[in-house]
Structure formats: C-alpha cells, structure tokens
Amino acid sequence: MAKKCIDGAKIYQYRRWREGRVLIDGTKIEEVGAMEISEDWDVIDATGEFLYPGFIDGHSHIGMCETCGGMGKDVNEIGDAVRPQLDALDAVNPEDCQFRKALKIGITSVCVTPGSANVIGGKASVIKTYGNIVDKMVVKAPVAMKAALGENPKRLYEGIVGPNAPHSRMGIASLFRETVLATRMYMKRKEVAPYLYDSVYEAMIPVVNRSIAVKFHAHSREDVVTAIRLGESLHLRYTIEHATGAGAIAEYLKEKDVGVFIGPAFGVESKLEQKGSGFDIAKKLEDAGVPFGIITDCPEISSDTLLLAGRYYIQAGASEAAVIDAFTVHPARLLDLSHRLGKIEAGYDADIVAFDAPLFEGMVDTARWTMVDGNIVYRRKDDEDGTIRYRI
C-alpha cells in the first residue's frame, strides 16, 4: 500500500501552527515536516486547510444506548451494585448513528463506559469511531473501571435490601472500599490456591495492581473529595468524571494531582448535585493547572455538540488553547494513551481532522474531512445531510 502525504495544510502541534507535510504509512504518522514528495506517494491536497489531531471524547456511552431508533438501552445492569466483571464492549453497536455524528466534527476516539447506576459498574475501553466490528475498533481494552458516587447509586437502589444495595454516601464509599480490600485478600489466597476463581475479584485485579484507572462518577464537591480520599487511601490510579462542583476546589485538585473529565456542558439539571453548574469550571481548572478533558457523555448530549460545548467554555473565560488541549492531549494522557493519540507527530495514530479555518473562528462547523487510522472516512462534501452549524 502506498504511503499518503497530506500537503498544503497548516498543522496544529500543541498550541502552535506550523507549515509542512504529514507522511502516513498505513495506520501511523511516519513524519511531519518539509520532506520532498515522492512520486510513489498518494498525495492529499489540503491547501488552505487546518489540521488538528483527531479529537477524543473521554467519557461516552456511544453505541450502548442508540439514539436513532436502535435496539435499546444497554448502559446499566441493575440488581447488584458491584459489577466490575461487566464490559462496555459487550453492549456497543457500531451502527449507532452517533458514530457518524462524531466523525462529522472530528471525534476519532471515544472512551465507552458503563453507566453510573452501580458503585462499580464495569470495564471501560477506548475505541475508534469508525468501523463495523467493535473488536476491530479497539484502541485499548480495558482502559479503566467505572465507579459511581453520589445520587445515582442511591436513587437506583432505593427500596432494595441487600449487602450490595447502598442507601447512603457512606454505604457507597464503604462498599467500594470493601471490594478493593477483598480483592487484595483474594489475590493473596490465589498465591497458594491458584485454582480459585471469582469473576468480581478477577475483574478488580487490574484496578488493584494499577494497570488501569478508576473513573469515579462524581458531581458534587463532597463526592469529588470522597473520590480523592478513596483513590489515595487505596493507592489507586483514578480520574474524576463530570466533576460539576470541582471548580470550587480546583486548587485542591491541583495539589492532589488529579485529572478530570468535565461535562456534559448543557442539558437538564436532573439531580440536585448538578445544581449551580457553570461553564466557568473550565477556566477555574485551567487557572489552577488541572488537566481536564471535555466530554459529551453521549447520549446525554449528542456527540456532534463537542465543539459547541468548547465554545461555551471559551465564552465563560477558558482559553482556546486549553479547550483544544481538552479535546486532544489531556484526554490522551488521562486515558494512558499519550503515546498514540492526541498529537500529529511521528509514531502516533494517523487520526487527523481538517477544518476550513482555525477552530472557534466565527462559526463552529463540521469538519471538511476526518481521517481514522490513515483513511479518510468522512468528507463533508459527501454528506447528503449537509452540515451542522451552530451560532452562539
């Protein structure tokens, strides 16, 4: 297969623009620079276009809850609040129309995760947004374990009696803590009895040995602090998901070296812990030096509204550079994929999105084209539905 060369565009490389070409060999970027074009290469003329790394949505239920007349809701499994053996990949339908919507604005990777009904909800994975077989779309599986604090587990287990049915924030934190400690005991027992098998503890071993992080669903300031307390006391890797109240304690997050995924940016404040949320959270986190990614939590908001969310955060004071970081380098780092995703550099996945102008200049628009793994999989001119435009 011939190498591909993107020629004539301006290339965004971590907060600066540069002129040059992007050489692609298969699924990877081979070189970025002013190399001479070979007659053996397939040249993509991108004159006048602006290239960004493919965007990363670090928290999504895309394909698990189809929004366009699909097969139904497969985000949560109810009945036992400790379900680490569940796997989001088992519920993803690549035919969900949200994948197409993601490509239209340049989202090339998503972290697909179980929902927040359970204290421990199951395994999350990063997948590409193009393909028809989910196993071939996988970037890293699993990448994290979903956990939830606050109102969701409380509300969904109200009226249910059992050892794994918490009714308070104390019960939720205790159940998470007990599961981690029990996993450590199980690992010790397996050293002398390797035939032992328990699906719950087996699924938790990568969490305990820090191979994967915990994604703590936490909206309120109190729940964010509890997540930090659990993560630190149990010596876990973790991120905070949603973090609605985190702006008020941004300096504390910086002190604790915690990364967060913020969003969804708009929608109905369906829970008390979401009251008072504001778009200024991005500025507060930026000012404190806290790394953050911006998420859609699809289908809470549609995947094609990620750029619109970024515009709102900018209007509330965040810098354009920080928002672009939140689409690219920060989620890549927080998902432990900074060696593959989030940059247009040699050795990285050839996930690239082209726009007519720099992001956030004038009107937020769909991409001119989107490339995943070295192949252009979306072109605006081929889209019979036309473009999606937003003006604020």
Side-chain angles (χ1 to χ4, degrees):
M1 182 181 296
K3 296 180 181 181
K4 298 172 184 173
C5 180
I6 305 174
D7 184 38
K10 290 187 176 180
I11 305 162
Y12 190 84
Q13 288 192 307
Y14 191 64
R15 300 194 170 196
R16 64 186 179 90
W17 290 102
R18 66 173 294 182
E19 307 278 348
R21 301 184 174 104
V22 182
L23 181 62
I24 297 164
D25 187 3
T27 64
K28 296 289 186 179
I29 298 171
E30 180 176 300
E31 187 178 353
V32 180
M35 55 281 193
E36 293 293 325
I37 294 177
S38 168
E39 62 182 16
D40 297 327
W41 298 346
D42 291 336
V43 178
I44 300 170
D45 183 7
T47 302
E49 298 172 5
F50 295 80
L51 305 186
Y52 292 87
F55 303 144
I56 306 162
D57 187 345
H59 181 118
S60 177
H61 311 293
I62 192 169
M64 300 178 71
C65 186
E66 293 98 288
T67 58
C68 306
M71 292 184 290
K73 297 181 179 180
D74 292 306
V75 177
N76 289 299
E77 186 68 31
I78 308 300
D80 186 333
V82 178
R83 298 280 188 136
Q85 70 273 39
L86 300 180
D87 191 334
L89 290 180
D90 293 331
V92 174
N93 176 11
E95 299 300 317
D96 182 4
C97 68
Q98 287 292 332
F99 283 103
R100 179 70 174 177
K101 291 176 180 288
L103 290 170
K104 289 173 73 169
I105 63 150
I107 299 173
T108 56
S109 298
V110 295
C111 182
V112 60
T113 174
S116 52
N118 294 313
V119 176
I120 303 177
K123 292 173 278 190
S125 295
V126 174
I127 63 175
K128 296 295 177 73
T129 52
Y130 180 79
N132 60 3
I133 298 174
V134 69
D135 297 72
K136 293 185 177 182
M137 299 159 66
V138 169
V139 178
K140 184 177 181 181
V143 73
M145 181 65 67
K146 180 66 180 293
L149 306 175
E151 294 301 317
N152 277 18
K154 280 179 56 183
R155 183 177 71 251
L156 290 163
Y157 282 90
E158 184 177 359
I160 299 175
V161 178
N164 286 355
H167 295 162
S168 70
R169 281 175 163 79
M170 293 183 298
I172 291 167
S174 177
L175 188 54
F176 181 89
R177 188 179 293 113
E178 290 168 8
T179 303
V180 172
L181 295 177
T183 301
R184 291 199 170 111
M185 294 176 62
Y186 172 80
M187 293 168 67
K188 286 290 186 182
R189 292 198 304 270
K190 282 204 74 169
E191 291 177 3
V192 295
Y195 53 83
L196 288 177
Y197 180 81
D198 184 294
S199 61
V200 170
Y201 299 139
E202 289 288 336
M204 287 295 292
I205 288 174
V207 175
V208 170
N209 67 21
R210 297 172 58 89
S211 298
I212 63 174
V214 178
K215 279 180 162 288
F216 279 115
H217 165 109
H219 278 287
S220 73
R221 175 177 15 182
E222 294 77 11
D223 291 333
V224 170
V225 172
T226 296
I228 295 171
R229 185 184 313 116
L230 289 170
E232 283 197 345
S233 64
L234 296 169
H235 307 290
L236 306 177
R237 295 171 51 216
Y238 63 97
T239 58
I240 310 297
E241 313 293 301
H242 309 302
T244 304
I249 54 170
E251 294 294 341
Y252 184 67
L253 295 178
K254 175 62 176 177
E255 174 190 332
K256 296 297 185 178
D257 193 25
V258 179
V260 301
F261 287 101
I262 61 172
F266 32 79
V268 177
E269 293 179 339
S270 59
K271 296 183 282 288
L272 180 63
E273 56 196 354
Q274 291 178 285
K275 300 297 182 182
S277 60
F279 295 110
D280 61 347
I281 183 174
K283 174 176 171 49
K284 292 176 179 178
L285 294 174
E286 179 187 3
D287 289 346
V290 176
F292 66 93
I294 296 173
I295 64 172
T296 65
D297 198 18
C298 177
E300 290 298 318
I301 61 174
S302 182
S303 58
D304 57 7
T305 60
L306 186 69
L307 300 185
L308 179 60
R311 175 63 67 89
Y312 276 106
Y313 289 126
I314 290 168
Q315 287 198 335
S319 69
E320 292 184 10
V323 168
I324 296 171
D325 288 351
F327 295 159
T328 54
V329 291
H330 283 169
R333 173 194 158 192
L334 296 175
L335 294 167
D336 199 25
L337 287 165
S338 58
H339 61 294
R340 286 188 58 178
L341 305 179
K343 296 180 182 179
I344 302 178
E345 290 186 3
Y348 280 69
D349 288 10
D351 297 344
I352 298 170
V353 55
F355 289 90
D356 297 320
L359 286 179
F360 311 120
E361 283 195 5
M363 188 177 291
V364 178
D365 205 351
T366 51
R368 177 179 284 269
W369 52 261
T370 302
M371 173 181 284
V372 176
D373 289 333
N375 293 308
I376 294 179
V377 297
Y378 170 81
R379 290 184 185 274
R380 189 172 63 212
K381 68 178 183 180
D382 298 331
D383 194 336
E384 296 179 353
D385 296 330
T387 61
I388 296 175
R389 299 177 184 272
Y390 305 96
R391 185 181 294 278
I392 301 175

